[in-house]
């Protein structure tokens, strides 16, 4: 078979899939809210039935060791968030069916800067039990009223018959729930039928995804395609496709939107895209973790070092929101001890293969760029004491690999926090997520200044004593870059996904977590009862806990809690 014939056959297959979706758009327009909710419930049931096969396929392509606790990552970032999202989206549709706003039942308060904040976690008794001490709020832009938030929530489902054409989703290759969640958001937030093009890294999940999305495929509103960049290029430029959503890097985005090489660079400079249709995206960046100085115990230092190691090494470092730069106070008396714990946590974390293409080259590039880069176990690299006056690749390039850098900034607690916020906003590429770690006494001493700092940070998700990945896992929270980016300065992307409450135009998600895990939290008078989170790379029973958590999400029930709690506590 010649290359040209292969290309022709492939193009014909894509044309047929798009034509199916053009016809399917009418079927989607004819679906009322009750039918759409029922389809979500069926996707949730299919996800539960396929969860085991889903995780096996992910473990295979990521080459995780048999019996490793790291398998827990695939449960918690694969079928689990799809189960919680289908349930939360179904609840929003149910509210609209009954003439209510999806926001009804969620508490609302005033946030700094004249913002309305919708508390989306905890929302149920299950949230309070399983995620004790964790919370999440969605902050709307300044000036948006509570009445407006309630009136506009629902997005495309307020007018289900007004469909939005055919959209393309270019699926991610790292976190396996991303493609399915993006498909659901296109359908339910924007009323677009969807052609999902899988990243070749995830082709082993084709059969699983086909079974999970079967209710939507059978209706004719979803098609799944595989292939390389040639398939993606043909698909996004297809004349019957009206919108593109992608997950990846800013460089990949620019290649799709403007083209490659000198011609692509010239188009970007001139602001004349090669792709003549709207594009939304989630693109990652250089995510920072700000360590606010305080008086920490040795156990605090060790736990938060493991926390940052997780922020960097979860999924091998191949996360769009993996922490890349740690900002610490140069005058913090405990700085050296904390950095020693951080070095040990990076070194001692479980080893895993570098499964994502190009990882070894990116690690080698980081070592070549910084003479004091230190290899700290396996293929991991720690870069010490970046100079804030000398921008380099650690600040401007998302490594998408197990590389972590440290930058020291001067000043007392308040001065350091102000400098860290400015550095995060002005020196680091991207606006997807930023983490802050602060002792409860420091939080109390800072008072409103901490809320003001959170408001000043221009990031789509801000996490205090939690990893921004918790925002990804919170179905009711929007996930995406800080608003305002453009095609020619895309940073971490345009638009949001997830957002199961279907809020219109959110500004950011603010996540809060416990500074200490139970039982130490209880001994120090904190209300949080959560043990070490199962997404920590150091969690010894993460595989069992992740499986049990996914099973619970499929069918929440009191009888499942004792075994789930016991597994989590053993971690």
């Amino acid at each position: 078979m010649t290359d040209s014939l292969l290309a022709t056959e492939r193009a014909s297959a894509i044309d047929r899939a798009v034509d199916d979706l053009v016809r399917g758009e009418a079927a989607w327009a004819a679906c009322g809210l009750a039918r759409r909710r029922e389809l979500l419930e069926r996707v949730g049931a299919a996800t539960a039935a396929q969860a085991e096969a889903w995780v096996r396929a992910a473990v295979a392509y990521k080459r995780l060791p048999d019996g490793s606790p790291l398998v827990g990552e695939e449960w918690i970032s694969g079928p689990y968030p799809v189960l919680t999202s289908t349930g939360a989206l179904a609840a929003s549709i149910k509210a609209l069916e009954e003439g209510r706003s999806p926001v009804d039942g969620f508490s609302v308060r005033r946030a700094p800067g004249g913002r309305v904040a919708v508390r989306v976690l905890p929302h149920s008794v299950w949230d309070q039990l399983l995620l004790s001490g964790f919370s999440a709020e969605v902050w709307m832009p300044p000036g948006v009223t509570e009445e407006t938030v309630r009136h506009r929530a629902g997005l495309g489902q307020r007018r289900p018959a007004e469909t939005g054409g055919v959209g393309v989703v270019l699926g991610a290759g790292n976190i396996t729930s991303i493609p399915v969640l993006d498909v659901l958001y296109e359908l339910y937030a924007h009323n677009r039928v969807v052609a999902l093009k899988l990243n070749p890294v995830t082709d082993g999940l084709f059969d699983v995804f086909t079974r999970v999305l079967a209710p939507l495929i059978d209706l004719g509103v979803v098609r799944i395609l595989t292939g390389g960049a040639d398939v993606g290029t043909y698909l996004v430029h297809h004349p019957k496709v009206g919108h593109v959503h992608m997950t990846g890097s800013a460089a990949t985005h620019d290649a799709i939107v403007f083209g490659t090489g000198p011609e692509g660079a010239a188009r970007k400079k001139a602001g004349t895209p090669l792709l003549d249709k709207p594009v939304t995206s989630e693109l990652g960046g250089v995510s920072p973790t700000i360590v606010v100085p305080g008086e920490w115990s040795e156990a605090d230092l060790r736990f938060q070092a493991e926390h940052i190691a997780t922020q960097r090494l979860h999924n091998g470092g191949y996360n769009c929101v993996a922490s890349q730069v740690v900002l610490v106070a140069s005058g913090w008396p405990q700085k050296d001890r904390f950095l020693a714990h951080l070095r040990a946590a990076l070194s001692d974390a479980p080893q895993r293969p570098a499964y994502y293409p190009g990882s070894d080259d990116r690690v080698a590039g980081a070592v070549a760029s910084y003479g004091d880069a230190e290899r700290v176990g396996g293929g991991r690299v720690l870069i010490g004491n970046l100079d804030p006056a000398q921008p380099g690749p650690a600040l401007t390039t998302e490594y998408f690999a197990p590389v972590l850098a440290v930058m020291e900034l001067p000043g007392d607690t308040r001065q350091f926090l102000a400098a860290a916020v400015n550095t995060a906003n002005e020196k680091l590429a991207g606006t997807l997520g930023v983490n802050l770690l602060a002792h409860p006494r420091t939080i109390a001493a800072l008072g409103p200044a901490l809320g003001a700092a959170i408001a000043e940070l221009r990031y789509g998700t801000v996490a205090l004593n939690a990893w921004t990945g918790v925002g990804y896992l919170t179905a009711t929270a929007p996930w995406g870059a800080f608003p305002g980016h453009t095609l020619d300065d895309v940073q971490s992307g345009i638009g949001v996904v997830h957002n199961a409450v279907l809020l219109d135009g959110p500004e950011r998600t603010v996540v809060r977590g416990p500074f200490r895990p139970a039982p130490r939290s209880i001994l120090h008078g904190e209300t949080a009862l959560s043990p070490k989170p199962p997404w920590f790379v150091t969690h010894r029973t993460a595989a069992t806990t992740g499986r049990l958590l996914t099973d619970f999400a499929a069918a929440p029930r009191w009888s499942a809690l004792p075994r789930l709690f016991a597994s989590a506590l053993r971690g």
Side-chain angles (χ1 to χ4, degrees), residues 20 41 54 64 75 77 83 112-113 120 167 176 179 212 222 244 259 266 298 322 324 326 365 386 483 497 527:
D20 287 346
E41 292 166 351
W54 184 324
L64 293 176
W75 286 100
S77 65
L83 287 165
V120 296
T176 59
V212 164
V222 171
V244 175
E298 194 72 10
Q324 185 162 306
V326 181
L386 293 176
V497 290
T527 58

Side-chain angles (χ1 to χ4, degrees), residues 109-112 117-122 127 131-139 304 307 434-438 443 447-455 461-471 474 477 508-516 526-528 530 533 535:
R109 72 172 185 94
R110 303 301 298 181
V118 181
R119 185 177 177 123
V120 296
L121 180 76
D127 292 340
L131 292 166
S132 174
F134 288 88
S135 67
E137 293 180 328
V138 181
W139 289 14
Q304 294 299 347
H307 197 176
V434 57
N435 315 283
L436 298 96
L437 304 177
I443 293 173
L450 182 59
I454 290 173
T461 299
V462 181
L464 175 62
N465 289 335
W467 178 33
T468 46
V470 178
T474 302
R508 75 184 79 200
T509 297
V510 178
V511 177
R512 292 178 173 85
F515 182 71
R516 305 179 181 93
E526 299 173 37
T527 58
S530 294
W535 52 83

Side-chain angles (χ1 to χ4, degrees), residues 145 170-171 183 205 208 214 257 264 305 345 368 382 411 447 454 479 528 536 541 561:
T145 66
L170 300 178
V183 165
L205 281 156
V208 169
V257 173
L382 180 63
I454 290 173
W479 180 254
F536 266 45
T541 62
L561 291 178

